[in-house]
Amino acid sequence: FSFCFNLSYFEGSLYLNTFVNVVIEFVTYAVSGYLVKFGRRNLLLICFQICIGFAILACFPILLISPSYQKLISYINKTMICLAFNTIYIYTAEVVPTNARMLSLCICNAGSKIFCLFSPQFGTLVVKNPLFYRVIEIVVNVFCFVGTLFLPETIYTDLPDSVGDVREQEKYCIIRN
């Protein structure tokens, strides 16, 4: 999430960059509620695959020297990360029992804030040393992708009311514990 904060560091108008950030987030919030109808885990996997693919694409030497390509790829990845983050909020209500839902949302929010401490450095890094920034982005997205493989698909299932219901959802995981 912190990779998306400082896209205003790119060349061009600070106001236009900020406006594009706001438009991306607004559209993503509006669209994410509809897209989760196709599956929560599947949507997360697709988002992380797109982020990894474009981050790898951005590491090619011809694209590293062009700030406009780096900016475009950063906007695409920002869209995917915002979509994944909104899906996680919807997904939490379906994976975690009611009595532990608040704690799980707090952990998710706190985990995203750890990287937010580094967001000013990421904003500078994407402009000054895009290769190092993209390597960090690839590593984080690969960890997110692998972690998503452990989650069950919850579409068309009942919400869990107890820990036993959560254990029942494990049969819908790609990788089981």
Side-chain angles (χ1 to χ4, degrees):
F1 195 66
S2 65
F3 292 119
C4 307
F5 275 153
N6 290 313
L7 295 179
S8 59
Y9 279 83
F10 283 111
E11 63 181 19
S13 171
L14 171 70
Y15 301 108
L16 181 62
N17 290 341
T18 305
F19 178 74
V20 171
N21 283 333
V22 169
V23 168
I24 287 173
E25 289 201 19
F26 179 74
V27 170
T28 304
Y29 291 146
V31 171
S32 64
Y34 174 74
L35 288 178
V36 295
K37 294 179 183 177
F38 300 108
R40 283 76 165 147
R41 183 192 59 213
N42 297 337
L43 182 61
L44 286 171
L45 290 173
I46 290 169
C47 289
F48 293 132
Q49 285 174 348
I50 291 172
C51 285
I52 292 167
F54 276 106
I56 290 171
L57 181 70
C59 291
F60 288 124
I62 196 161
L63 297 178
L64 277 174
I65 59 174
S66 174
S68 58
Y69 283 122
Q70 292 295 322
K71 186 176 185 178
L72 176 67
I73 289 172
S74 293
Y75 282 138
I76 291 169
N77 284 353
K78 175 189 176 45
T79 305
M80 293 299 111
I81 293 296
C82 286
L83 185 60
F85 204 70
N86 291 334
T87 305
I88 288 170
Y89 273 109
I90 296 169
Y91 199 50
T92 303
E94 298 175 351
V95 173
V96 181
T98 307
N99 55 357
R101 201 167 288 152
M102 183 188 71
L103 180 64
S104 63
L105 276 174
C106 292
I107 290 172
C108 175
N109 231 350
S112 70
K113 301 304 182 220
I114 291 171
F115 272 109
C116 291
L117 297 172
F118 301 108
S119 65
Q121 288 76 19
F122 287 143
T124 306
L125 196 60
V126 73
V127 175
K128 304 276 187 208
N129 191 352
L131 180 63
F132 187 62
Y133 172 80
R134 295 298 174 193
V135 168
I136 293 171
E137 188 177 35
I138 290 168
V139 169
V140 169
N141 281 314
V142 165
F143 278 121
C144 291
F145 181 81
V146 171
T148 304
L149 293 175
F150 288 95
L151 296 174
E153 182 55 75
T154 59
I155 192 166
Y156 307 123
T157 61
D158 295 328
L159 296 178
D161 290 325
S162 66
V163 177
D165 292 343
V166 173
R167 288 191 186 113
E168 181 68 25
Q169 285 183 335
E170 285 188 17
K171 64 183 175 186
Y172 301 111
C173 296
I174 295 174
I175 299 175
R176 293 186 179 94
N177 297 333

